[in-house]
Structures are given as C-alpha cells and as structure tokens.
Amino acid sequence: MHKKVLVIIDFSEKVGNGHKNRVNSILKKLNIEQLDVQKILLDYTNKEIVINNLKETHFRKESYQLLLIDSFILSDKEIIFLSNFFKNVLVIDDWIGRKLIGNNIYILDWTAMAERSPIHLSQKNLKKFLGLEYCPIERKHSYKKTNDFLIHLGSNIKTSIYVDIIKYISRKYSDKKINIIDKKIIKIKEMIPSSKNCEFLDYLNENEFKNYLLSSRFFISTGGWSCYQAISLNCFPLLISLNDSNTYFDCYGIVFGGYGKAFGFINEFDKLNIISKDLDFQNNYLTANKIGEKFLLLNKLLDK
C-alpha cells in the first residue's frame, strides 16, 4: 500500500533552493518504498490560492500519513488548521517564535543550538527532533582541497557586499583561490579590477554545488541549509549575519556550537563589517559531529 505524503515548500527566486533541497534530502533519507509524494511550491504571490484550494479539498485523515511543511510563509494558524486533515505533521526548520499546538505536530529543528534554545524548552506540548544529528545529509570525507574560498550569499544580497568580500580576501590572502556563485555574477565580475584568482559562476545544480563545497576549505555564507551541507562536506562556514533574516539564528548557533566562525555582519546602513581574524589554512577545521545518524527515527511517523 502506498504511503501518501503532502509536502508544502517555500520556493521562489528570493527564497532560493534551500527549502526544496532540504525536503528532497529528507525524503531520500526516509528511504520508504511506495512513497506517494505530492509537492506544493509556495510563495507570497500564490499563498492565498494554495490555502483556499487546500480548504476546498476534502482530505480524509486516514489517507495521508504525513504532511511535511518547510515554510516560513505559512502561519501557525494555517499549520494548525491543516493538521486536522493528516495523521502526522512534520514542520521542518528552526521554529523560532512558532506557537504550534497539536498532538500530531512534530518539529524537526536542525539548527546547531536547538537543544540549548529557551524557546524549545517552553514548548513542552510538542514532540521534537533536535540538533545537527538529525540533519538529513550524508557526510563525506575529503582532504584534497583544490579551492580556498567558496562565496554564496543568496539572491537578496547586494552586489557591493560580494565585491567588498572579494577585495578583502584578495588583499589579505592574495595567493588563495576564490569561487563566487550568484545570479548577478556578470555585474560582480565587472566590478572586480583584478580577478586572476577568481572563478565566477552564475548557477550550480545541487550536485555541482556539493562538489564545490567538497573541494573548498571555507564557505562564506549568510546561513541556511547550504551551511549545514558545507559542515557535512568538510567545508568550514564563515558566517555573515543579517539581523532581519531568519538565518540569524543559524549563524549564531553554528558559531556558538563551534561548527563555523563569524566572518562579519551587514549593518543597518547595508554595509559590510568584517570581524574575521586570521584564518589557519593548515587546520582542517573538521568537527567530530556525526550528521544524519539518528534521522531514521522519523520513519516512525510514516508507520503510524
């Protein structure tokens, strides 16, 4: 008998591929035969239509084993409403500020500081899966690093921030290789006077991106799913935090847990402040954390 799963994912040019890639990793890790998966891609322009369509669809609770939600767009009220039509609901991502009540609602929080968060301690009515051990990505070992810095900040970061980072690295580590990924890559390249040590990439699919992480020593990022991929692939995150971003707690947790270092922050004037100290290129910066070891416990949600 097929096990039916409905997946709702935030996906748009601004949001990027992180939510989608994470859910694909989760479904792959569950490794359930005869899994019937229906995916809904959500953004702010189609949210109302999607919610209305779901309300008009008469779900039978016994028909769906699991509703998988990876979305900041859906409100707590909307998630609680949808939970009435599914045996189990799994909400993925750090759930800072969420107030979800329901005996069939589970949380998968993969942030590095999940178990220390006071917000989690106050949510005693919810069942939780916490910490990097539940991060659904396969750890790979590679000690042959052919690139030094991989830079990918996200589509909503200004071009000038990329330029400032590249100029800083080129000045401080003049002999090191730099790979830059962004959809505005042509504009970035035009603003770099000398780029002999740089490779400019406008887009990578997930497998190509993993290969670049695997071959790089450091990953400069603003947080999110790609940082956890970097950790699993022995590429050490250097974090740039944004106070108004939902990845702020990612950055804090990764640095606090020792999985990465603070590289800088974008201030209230949209300017980059770099706080990074000298990097040790002889140090592998590898963590002993075992990523993905306990994730198969989530299979139980599909067996109920």
Side-chain angles (χ1 to χ4, degrees):
M1 181 175 136
H2 280 76
K3 294 179 183 291
K4 295 182 74 176
V5 178
L6 179 66
V7 181
I8 301 177
I9 314 166
D10 284 355
F11 179 75
S12 67
E13 185 174 344
K14 184 176 181 180
V15 170
N17 291 299
H19 296 269
K20 193 167 114 178
N21 290 344
R22 179 164 55 234
V23 168
N24 288 338
S25 295
I26 287 170
L27 293 172
K28 183 180 178 182
K29 195 78 174 182
L30 287 174
N31 197 25
I32 298 290
E33 291 183 5
Q34 296 182 319
L35 202 61
D36 183 1
V37 179
Q38 178 187 347
K39 293 180 183 177
I40 296 174
L41 302 180
L42 195 67
D43 64 34
Y44 287 103
T45 62
N46 72 351
K47 173 184 169 178
E48 190 174 338
I49 296 171
V50 168
I51 294 297
N52 286 336
N53 287 343
L54 288 173
K55 286 179 178 178
E56 291 171 7
T57 302
H58 297 289
F59 289 114
R60 289 187 299 124
K61 196 164 187 175
E62 63 272 16
S63 299
Y64 282 84
Q65 270 77 14
L66 186 63
L67 169 62
L68 232 162
I69 296 173
D70 194 333
S71 171
F72 284 106
I73 296 174
L74 283 180
S75 68
D76 293 355
K77 185 177 179 181
E78 288 160 343
I79 292 173
I80 291 169
F81 169 79
L82 290 172
S83 72
N84 294 315
F85 303 98
F86 296 85
K87 288 184 177 179
N88 293 294
V89 178
L90 179 62
V91 180
I92 303 152
D93 220 326
D94 53 280
W95 45 295
I96 301 297
R98 288 278 194 198
K99 294 181 180 178
L100 296 169
I101 300 173
N103 291 327
N104 64 333
I105 299 177
Y106 295 74
I107 301 295
L108 170 59
D109 188 335
W110 44 267
T111 60
M113 63 177 297
E115 296 192 38
R116 303 182 183 92
S117 170
I119 293 170
H120 297 303
L121 295 176
S122 67
Q123 300 280 338
K124 293 179 181 176
N125 58 315
L126 290 174
K127 305 171 185 71
K128 302 180 287 289
F129 300 98
L130 297 174
L132 279 177
E133 287 187 341
Y134 297 97
C135 204
I137 43 186
E138 309 237 340
R139 188 177 177 92
K140 294 183 181 179
H141 293 279
S142 172
Y143 300 100
K144 188 177 179 181
K145 300 294 185 180
T146 56
N147 179 56
D148 297 294
F149 295 95
L150 179 63
I151 305 172
H152 178 52
L153 306 179
S155 58
N156 59 335
I157 302 298
K158 289 167 55 176
T159 303
S160 60
I161 301 295
Y162 277 95
V163 174
D164 288 346
I165 293 170
I166 296 165
K167 286 182 177 178
Y168 171 83
I169 293 172
S170 298
R171 185 173 62 251
K172 192 170 181 64
Y173 308 105
S174 58
D175 60 332
K176 302 304 180 185
K177 292 182 179 179
I178 308 169
N179 290 332
I180 306 102
I181 308 168
D182 193 80
K183 291 185 177 180
K184 306 181 291 291
I185 203 68
I186 294 175
K187 189 175 179 182
I188 294 170
K189 189 174 181 180
E190 288 173 350
M191 297 173 71
I192 302 298
S194 175
S195 56
K196 61 180 180 179
N197 291 338
C198 297
E199 182 179 357
F200 296 90
L201 308 159
D202 62 352
Y203 176 77
L204 293 176
N205 64 37
E206 189 179 6
N207 286 333
E208 290 170 335
F209 180 60
K210 285 180 180 178
N211 287 334
Y212 269 86
L213 284 172
L214 199 59
S215 63
S216 299
R217 290 181 182 277
F218 298 104
F219 178 51
I220 299 179
S221 170
T222 54
W225 178 241
S226 57
C227 280
Y228 293 89
Q229 288 181 305
I231 293 167
S232 73
L233 298 171
N234 300 322
C235 181
F236 195 75
L238 302 176
L239 284 305
I240 296 174
S241 65
L242 299 85
N243 284 334
D244 61 346
S245 168
N246 54 38
T247 63
Y248 174 78
F249 291 98
D250 274 344
C251 294
Y252 182 84
I254 289 170
V255 173
F256 183 81
Y259 302 104
K261 286 183 178 292
F263 185 81
F265 63 93
I266 297 174
N267 64 27
E268 64 271 27
F269 305 109
D270 250 3
K271 300 292 184 183
L272 176 66
N273 290 61
I274 294 176
I275 59 175
S276 175
K277 297 180 180 178
D278 290 347
L279 298 170
D280 182 1
F281 286 84
Q282 302 305 314
N283 188 341
N284 279 324
Y285 288 109
L286 301 181
T287 67
N289 190 69
K290 295 180 179 179
I291 293 179
E293 290 278 309
K294 298 183 181 179
F295 197 79
L296 292 177
L297 289 174
L298 295 182
N299 282 337
K300 293 179 181 178
L301 297 185
L302 288 164
D303 291 337
K304 291 186 176 185

